[in-house]
Amino acid sequence: MRKYALLAVAVLVLGGMAFAKGSISIMVVWSGTELEAFQKVVGAFEDKTGIDVKVESVGRDLPTVLVTRFEAGNPPDLAAMPNPGQMAEFVARGGLVPVEGFVDLSQHPKAFVDLATVGDHVYGIFISADLKSLVWYNPDALYAEGLAPADSWDELMYITETLASRGKVPWAIGLESGAASGWPGTDWIEDIMLRTAGPELYDKWVAHEIPWTHPAVKRAFELFGAIVRNEDYVYGGTTGALSINFGDSPAVLWDEPPGAYLHRQATFIKSFIANAHPELDLDRDVAFFVFPPIDPKWGTPLLGAGDLISAFRDTPEVEAFLKYLASAEAQSIWCGALGKLAINVNVDPSIYPDALTAQAAEILKGAKIFRFDASDLMPAAVGSGAFWTGVLDYVSGVDLDTVLENIESAAQEAYGG
Amino acid sequence: MRKTRVHWLYLAPALFFLTMYLIYPSIRTIILSFYGPRSQNFVGFHNYITAFTSPSMLVAFRNNLLWVLVFTFFNVGLGLVLAVLLDRVRYEVLVKSIVFLPMAISYVAAGVIWKFMYAYRPTYAAQIGLLNAIVVALGGKPIGWLIERPWINNLALIAVGVWVWTGFCTVVISAAYKGIPKEMLEAARIDGANEWQVFWRITIPYLKSTLAMVTTTMIVFVLKVFDIVYIMTNGAYDTEVIANRMYKEMFLYQNYGLASAIAVVLFVLIVPFSLINIRRFRAQEAVR
């Protein structure tokens, strides 16, 4: 009996050691505070399981490093995917492990599971997201005009026209961003495109399966133009929109009297508002509503970006780590530290630094359709080049057909090569 | 016989560095310019066709020409005028120092400074840019200095370049001007020449080689102009220049083929001016 007990102990100890020896590697894009937060997430996992997780931070070079390592037959066990498009490419080359067999995805909104699905399998899990489809406003100022947040494009245009007819400026738009000028406009067009053309056509647009001269793209530009190219609708008119920095632009909403009433921008703009107006009580004086639907058929898709993790190898340790990353526990640590929005619906809203972030997280939970920022997914010559310049040209008065033809010619060169 | 071998030995270090840092990269760039974005497949003259036909490159060629004409004219012109006029005043050193001061500032810093100078705010807001504050104070409407195409924004950018380089031209031309024998000027005046005649008949001919050197140097500099445009507009609103296009294709879009082709085009544009400079320099050395 004692002999058996000893043997059992020995087996347990050896087994435990073998388990403790289990180590996995993950390649991530994060550095600085983001890396620190991720180390915290990893630390809690290591304490719980004894599995050693090696975090390799390669910064912005991740796409290149990851592809090189993959091609050399030496990928990490797991990696943060730059975006769903790149994930699909790894899937096509047979590199990734389907996760739906061992990760409980019922706690993730369908929109995010869909985004990580290729064919019949799910190849990655989202640990957090950022939300771009928001219209910010100053509640006191908007209500003082007898107006309320818009639930539809018509209402949004009604607010816009009403304010303009009273000699007020409805929108604050800032497209200037140094060498990256124009990107805030691309976000506008992407949000409109999702709402007028739907996610499938949006994906085709990203993949350049439809040309830039397609009527759907043209319509998205025109709807944006109906606001931004109207001198009475934008703070400073078109020259103002082109000259004013994106970060400075929303500040006028809280000036006395308000310089403008509405501002479309992602969650991160909150800190710019707080910097420009330190006297504000963010929970009371600052609010947003979701960029409203345009074509009822497509409802209210959300635009943003997300942190996606996929696995190149299937081992028990990798499975345990992915299960953990998908859990409310891991995402609470990660999002609590960074103010990012968690994907797991069971994450307690109290982990967020403020009510605005919690509210944005709530919106994300209800996401039916979520799409990545299109310009980030396109080849740089288009997504960080011709598209940006195209928006600036269009706003500054260049004929839309010329603008779209210019982007299309850049796209033919970029996607062709 | 021994002589030849020894001179090769002396030349070796210089030749080594020239080959490594100048000849090899140039040849490599020329080769890459015939390949695709990732330098893997041969594409013939495709990149050169793009470089000479794409709308953004055509704008860049036009703007580089504008830079060459306006930038060079104002720099050499202002440099000459300041050199000649300042020679007659007591506070010459002070003014020359002030004019020369921007030379100590990098293009990037100059771009940032002037972005503030050109800042735009709507008529109904307080102006934060000096130029628009002046315009509004005089009863005008604020101007989008960096946005109004095609002239205002390009000239606004060129003005920054002139602000930086006028000091250099002034100092060089001034040094040459002081080399004009005073007796010659005096003799001309005694003979009844007015200041205008002295300037055109004596000063200009005497400064000819200096002016030519400054002009070609400015042209070589300005053909490569990059920083100011990159910082202030990044080529938006038709302010693109060749070097900024090359930077974008190389580092942002990773189209190494097209970037190399643009580099070769720029190189070919600059070579004649460099040759003129070298020839003139040799001629001067020969005189000495």
Side-chain angles (χ1 to χ4, degrees), chain A residues 64-247:
Chain A
T64 326
V65 179
L66 193 56
V67 169
T68 314
R69 290 265 302 265
F70 177 74
E71 281 173 354
N74 179 33
D77 294 326
L78 302 116
M81 292 288 131
N83 58 60
Q86 290 246 288
M87 186 200 79
E89 272 175 37
F90 282 117
V91 172
R93 296 156 85 172
L96 297 182
V97 178
V99 302
E100 72 275 7
F102 53 88
V103 176
D104 177 15
L105 291 164
S106 66
Q107 295 173 5
H108 288 208
K110 192 170 172 297
F112 287 94
V113 179
D114 287 348
L115 205 54
T117 302
V118 179
D120 297 330
H121 298 288
V122 185
Y123 288 96
I125 54 142
F126 280 93
I127 59 168
S128 61
D130 301 301
L131 184 55
K132 298 200 173 191
S133 310
L134 299 175
V135 180
W136 297 73
Y137 64 98
N138 171 351
D140 290 345
L142 195 65
Y143 293 130
E145 290 293 327
L147 297 166
D151 290 328
S152 68
W153 185 257
D154 290 342
E155 279 181 41
L156 194 68
M157 291 313 286
Y158 171 76
I159 297 176
T160 305
E161 285 152 19
T162 308
L163 286 167
S165 70
R166 292 176 192 163
K168 309 268 165 76
V169 180
W171 288 93
I173 298 176
L175 301 177
E176 203 278 335
S177 181
S181 290
W183 71 260
T186 66
D187 284 5
W188 267 89
I189 286 159
E190 290 157 12
D191 244 340
I192 294 171
M193 185 82 185
L194 269 178
R195 283 160 177 71
T196 52
E200 275 164 36
L201 204 58
Y202 181 90
D203 292 343
K204 285 186 175 167
W205 173 53
V206 168
H208 198 230
E209 285 163 18
I210 57 166
W212 281 81
T213 45
H214 190 280
V217 183
K218 196 172 173 184
R219 176 144 185 258
F221 268 85
E222 281 167 347
L223 286 175
F224 175 47
I227 291 175
V228 74
R229 283 173 72 158
N230 188 319
E231 295 288 328
D232 298 331
Y233 288 179
V234 182
Y235 183 75
T238 51
T239 310
L242 295 170
S243 312
I244 298 171
N245 184 267
F246 75 94

Side-chain angles (χ1 to χ4, degrees), chain A residues 176 179 235-236 243 380 385 393 396, chain B residues 115 124-125 147 149 234 252-253:
Chain A
E176 203 278 335
Y235 183 75
S243 312
D393 282 343
S396 72
Chain B
K115 225 174 160 174
Y124 37 83
I147 288 155
R149 67 178 99 198
N234 194 23
L252 295 178
Y253 311 158

